[in-house]
Amino acid sequence: MDGNKPSRADVARAAGVAESTVSRALNDSSLISPAIKDKVRRTAEALGYRPSRQAANFARGRTGTLGLVVPRYTSFPPFSRAYFPTLLDGVVLAAEERGFLVTIVLDKAETTGDRLAEMVAGRSVDGFLFAVSPAKYDRYNCLKRSGVPFALINNYHKGFASVDARPEPGMRDAFGHAWGLRHRRVGYITGDLAYKNGVDRLETFRRLSAEFGMYPSEVEGNFSRTSGYEGAIRLLAGPRKSRPTVIMTASDRAAIGVIGACDDLGMRVPEDVSIIGYDDLHPARDISPQLSTVHNPIEESGKEAATLLIELIGKERRKAAAKWLDTSFVARESTSYAGV
Amino acid sequence: MDGNKPSRADVARAAGVAESTVSRALNDSSLISPAIKDKVRRTAEALGYRPSRQAANFARGRTGTLGLVVPRYTSFPPFSRAYFPTLLDGVVLAAEERGFLVTIVLDKAETTGDRLAEMVAGRSVDGFLFAVSPAKYDRYNCLKRSGVPFALINNYHKGFASVDARPEPGMRDAFGHAWGLRHRRVGYITGDLAYKNGVDRLETFRRLSAEFGMYPSEVEGNFSRTSGYEGAIRLLAGPRKSRPTVIMTASDRAAIGVIGACDDLGMRVPEDVSIIGYDDLHPARDISPQLSTVHNPIEESGKEAATLLIELIGKERRKAAAKWLDTSFVARESTSYAGV
DNA sequence: CCCGAGAATGCACGCGTGTGCATTGACACC
DNA sequence: GGTGTCAATGCACACGCGTGCATTCTCGGG
């Protein structure tokens, strides 16, 4: 065995064909006859030849890399801790299935649209996925102007490619579930209304509570556990006759805060108060009682977003499409018949 | 303005120099005179020329990319949720400071040492960083044999490059703190002893409790909140005279479980029981009472590991060095004078 | 005045692929 | 038999940098 890495030329020589034939055979081109293909593959395998992904991408004029833009966690801890790793799993799995790698781009103050466009011009990545990003539309517009492919995750906006999940299906089932358990007064602790998600979920709550004919009461929150705790204290302050028997939140974390508040108020979950969260991230199953919640398909969102972005990069798709996934409802232990 | 991207040749022509001069000027080579350097830079700026990082790395024979190997979160949820994003911040910051990108490699069953070595042979990445990885030493040996640069994070093992934090300094201060608050009986809930970290922390606990002359009691756990809860129930079951007045854990999550247990047992924190966690991840500050804990420098570990790996890749460093960081103790609200 | 040394610059090529185009050979059809 | 067609293969080059080496220029010392 010789110490050097075998080159494409070595394989070509050993197989008695031209280098271009080796290239096409290994890429399964329809131009090459099955017999030669097989022979080349065996030879390559025998020699231990590893084509350079780097050179291949270079020759193809792409980088084969997606940039996933995320806030610096240490400066933006409020986003749900399990959200990012879950999303990442989906993005990376879908990307590698199509031969792409995923690199992390930390979203700092100096990360402007121009800076991101430079990363594409400078061949660091082929395009961007935005996760957990506040609504910086000037930045997105800048990218669009530069012709940089990108997609938003969980953050629909007209004119931009995006993947998002409708709150409607899951929340409708949650309402149906609560209605079936004889709940008639429903409390809601909103998410951060600076985020589209927060607004969407609130509007869906309003529509559905009207449709179901349930008496709603609302408190503004921001997805955090603390906001859930404080919101619950306020929602449950009234007289027993008028206070909600089921509380819905815009995040699992807030729902966990609600459980804490009930605990402190001496109310049992779910006997005295039912609770329904939103997201269905891992914590939902870890806590006691296990949380009934609206399942947000985060890993799928990541997969779909990566797929969409790769289509955009490959020009397989022209227009910036918006893809919608469905939420669903998961009944666990934090909901039961309405007391009284 | 012409629609095409300006090339290095365009810049050379406009500046009246050779392409190699452009290259050297933009890379700040000492061969080029300051006057020409300045001129070339202005010209490049004016034309909007963006050198291709991809081609540069290709020509240099490297990829400029670090592979960060992490378990699939959705199949390995137990690791602390804030751990990974915190680490990621450190790794990416240090990497981009030295002109490297970071790509995520999901650690699946089929991700063997050979597969990882292929990624280097196939020019996908220059080397690997292992985070949150169980001890698969055969894999590491395989990589070492193939000459693949890699470093372990928070997982020291002789012969491999690694970055880890000594439990000793932080835990010593924790003991000093507890001793000063008149605690004499200390309980400990271990981490998962299949992990080196779990064993290290336990051994340090034993050594320090002996050294301080505090009466220790131990329960085996596994870093999880549940194990903290159950461990506390057992530790606090004995008669008041003999049970521990301060409980230490191997993770913040377990400490949170301890708080829950005290709550359920009707014991107040810190009035009746003091609690000291380990890691100092964000949850430690979010909960009530805020957790006194041993600070584990996770972001720094990420930075140091990335730096170390890049040195290994650049052959600036031959031997696989082990780098050690120090933990420290952070006093917050979950500790006070021993009752009794 | 000549020559050598060192600084500054230009030339040419390699890195390892993908792919357009030319070439070859086989085969069917007129 | 001639010719057009199509499948299969080979040839040559581009992709955009970095860099070894040759070359030119400058300047000081003999």
Side-chain angles (χ1 to χ4, degrees):
Chain A
M1 101 185 196
D2 104 31
N4 281 337
K5 287 198 290 188
S7 71
R8 189 174 66 170
D10 295 333
V11 178
R13 206 172 310 121
V17 297
E19 284 195 46
S20 59
T21 302
V22 174
S23 175
R24 284 193 254 257
L26 296 181
N27 287 333
D28 205 16
S29 158
S30 63
L31 287 177
I32 304 297
S33 67
I36 298 274
K37 243 183 221 179
D38 192 58
K39 182 177 185 181
V40 168
R41 284 178 184 167
R42 282 174 198 282
T43 311
E45 179 65 27
L47 294 181
Y49 167 65
R50 303 273 165 238
S52 160
R53 239 184 62 95
Q54 186 184 33
N57 282 324
F58 180 44
R60 284 194 183 111
R62 66 173 208 190
T63 68
T65 302
L66 310 182
L68 179 61
V69 182
V70 291
R72 278 200 60 180
Y73 181 74
T74 41
S75 66
F76 191 64
F79 78 87
S80 182
R81 294 182 181 94
Y83 178 88
F84 175 63
T86 304
L87 181 73
L88 190 64
D89 277 3
V91 170
V92 174
L93 285 174
E96 71 184 23
E97 201 166 288
R98 291 164 154 260
F100 276 72
L101 295 178
V102 177
T103 99
I104 302 299
V105 178
L106 290 185
D107 194 353
K108 295 172 287 195
E110 67 266 29
T111 312
T112 60
D114 285 326
R115 281 288 252 276
L116 292 172
E118 276 180 30
M119 286 188 68
V120 171
R123 296 265 115 123
S124 284
V125 299
D126 288 331
F128 295 101
L129 250 24
F130 289 91
V132 204
S133 344
K136 297 186 176 174
Y137 294 114
D138 49 344
R139 188 164 74 171
Y140 304 142
N141 278 317
C142 169
L143 287 177
K144 195 171 184 183
R145 240 178 292 120
S146 311
V148 172
F150 69 99
L152 312 181
I153 303 179
N154 262 320
N155 189 18
Y156 168 82
H157 191 269
K158 190 164 156 46
F160 301 142
S162 65
V163 175
D164 208 345
R166 310 174 208 276
E168 167 93 25
M171 287 184 71
R172 175 177 296 279
D173 284 354
F175 266 89
H177 175 77
W179 179 268
L181 293 173
R182 312 233 177 86
H183 291 277
R184 296 299 177 261
R185 296 188 303 278
V186 53
Y188 190 68
I189 299 166
T190 77
D192 188 333
L193 300 180
Y195 288 76
K196 202 134 209 152
N197 285 333
V199 176
D200 269 4
R201 294 172 194 178
L202 172 59
E203 286 172 354
T204 306
F205 168 80
R206 287 180 176 162
R207 197 166 354 102
L208 289 172
S209 55
E211 185 177 321
F212 275 79
M214 288 175 70
Y215 182 82
S217 43
E218 295 170 9
V219 168
E220 186 166 338
N222 61 8
F223 296 122
S224 74
R225 179 159 57 156
T226 310
S227 80
Y229 182 92
E230 290 165 359
I233 297 288
R234 286 173 52 197
L235 285 173
L236 298 173
R240 169 178 236 116
K241 295 280 187 180
S242 63
R243 69 191 179 204
T245 58
V246 56
I247 293 181
M248 299 185 181
T249 63
S251 72
D252 287 344
R253 276 177 307 150
I256 291 172
V258 175
I259 292 177
C262 291
D263 222 32
D264 287 0
L265 291 172
M267 305 174 81
R268 293 162 305 164
V269 179
E271 291 81 356
D272 300 325
V273 185
S274 286
I275 300 176
I276 296 176
Y278 196 107
D279 271 345
D280 194 26
L281 289 165
H282 274 105
R285 258 161 282 169
D286 291 353
I287 57 172
S288 164
Q290 288 183 30
L291 205 56
S292 298
T293 190
V294 174
H295 176 77
N296 190 0
I298 292 169
E299 185 172 340
E300 282 80 23
S301 299
K303 285 186 180 170
E304 291 295 335
T307 304
L308 177 59
L309 177 58
I310 290 172
E311 287 172 1
L312 249 29
I313 289 168
K315 312 284 187 198
E316 300 166 37
R317 195 186 281 266
R318 301 267 156 196
K319 291 298 289 177
K323 173 118 194 173
W324 288 96
L325 302 180
D326 281 346
T327 53
S328 55
F329 175 70
V330 186
R332 295 208 183 87
E333 304 170 351
S334 67
T335 41
S336 71
Y337 279 95
V340 179
Chain B
M1 103 184 197
D2 103 33
N4 282 337
K5 286 198 293 190
S7 70
R8 188 173 68 169
D10 295 333
V11 178
R13 206 172 309 122
V17 297
E19 284 193 47
S20 59
T21 302
V22 174
S23 175
R24 285 193 254 258
L26 296 181
N27 287 334
D28 205 17
S29 158
S30 62
L31 287 176
I32 304 296
S33 68
I36 297 276
K37 245 183 220 179
D38 192 58
K39 182 178 186 180
V40 169
R41 285 179 182 167
R42 282 174 200 283
T43 312
E45 178 66 26
L47 294 182
Y49 167 66
R50 304 271 165 239
S52 160
R53 237 183 63 94
Q54 185 185 33
N57 283 324
F58 180 44
R60 272 196 264 252
R62 66 173 209 189
T63 68
T65 301
L66 310 181
L68 179 61
V69 182
V70 291
R72 279 200 60 182
Y73 182 73
T74 40
S75 66
F76 191 62
F79 77 86
S80 182
R81 294 186 180 90
Y83 179 88
F84 175 64
T86 305
L87 180 73
L88 190 64
D89 277 3
V91 169
V92 174
L93 285 173
E96 71 184 21
E97 202 165 287
R98 291 163 154 260
F100 275 72
L101 294 178
V102 176
T103 98
I104 303 299
V105 179
L106 290 186
D107 193 354
K108 295 171 287 194
E110 67 265 29
T111 312
T112 61
D114 285 325
R115 280 288 253 276
L116 291 171
E118 276 180 30
M119 286 188 66
V120 172
R123 295 266 115 124
S124 284
V125 300
D126 289 330
F128 295 101
L129 249 25
F130 289 91
V132 204
S133 345
K136 298 186 178 175
Y137 294 114
D138 49 344
R139 188 163 74 171
Y140 303 144
N141 278 319
C142 168
L143 287 177
K144 195 171 185 184
R145 240 178 293 120
S146 312
V148 172
F150 69 99
L152 312 182
I153 304 178
N154 263 318
N155 188 19
Y156 169 81
H157 191 269
K158 189 164 160 46
F160 300 143
S162 65
V163 176
D164 208 345
R166 309 174 207 275
E168 165 93 26
M171 286 184 70
R172 176 177 297 279
D173 284 355
F175 267 89
H177 175 77
W179 180 268
L181 293 174
R182 312 232 176 86
H183 293 277
R184 296 297 177 263
R185 295 189 303 279
V186 54
Y188 190 67
I189 299 167
T190 78
D192 188 333
L193 299 180
Y195 288 76
K196 202 134 208 154
N197 285 333
V199 176
D200 269 4
R201 294 173 196 178
L202 172 58
E203 286 173 353
T204 307
F205 168 80
R206 287 178 176 162
R207 196 166 355 101
L208 289 171
S209 54
E211 184 177 321
F212 275 81
M214 286 174 70
Y215 181 81
S217 42
E218 295 170 10
V219 168
E220 186 166 339
N222 61 8
F223 295 123
S224 73
R225 180 159 56 157
T226 309
S227 80
Y229 183 91
E230 290 164 0
I233 297 288
R234 286 173 53 197
L235 285 172
L236 297 173
R240 168 177 236 119
K241 295 278 185 178
S242 63
R243 68 190 179 205
T245 58
V246 56
I247 293 181
M248 298 185 181
T249 63
S251 73
D252 287 344
R253 274 176 309 149
I256 291 172
V258 175
I259 293 177
C262 292
D263 221 33
D264 286 1
L265 291 171
M267 305 176 80
R268 292 162 306 162
V269 179
E271 292 82 354
D272 301 324
V273 185
S274 286
I275 300 175
I276 296 177
Y278 196 108
D279 271 344
D280 194 26
L281 289 165
H282 274 106
R285 258 161 280 168
D286 290 353
I287 57 172
S288 165
Q290 288 182 30
L291 203 57
S292 298
T293 191
V294 174
H295 176 78
N296 190 1
I298 292 169
E299 185 172 341
E300 282 79 21
S301 298
K303 284 186 180 171
E304 291 295 336
T307 304
L308 177 58
L309 178 58
I310 290 172
E311 287 173 1
L312 248 30
I313 289 169
K315 312 282 186 197
E316 301 166 36
R317 192 185 283 266
R318 301 269 156 194
K319 292 297 288 177
K323 173 118 195 175
W324 289 96
L325 303 180
D326 281 345
T327 52
S328 56
F329 176 71
V330 187
R332 295 210 182 87
E333 304 170 351
S334 66
T335 41
S336 72
Y337 279 95
V340 178

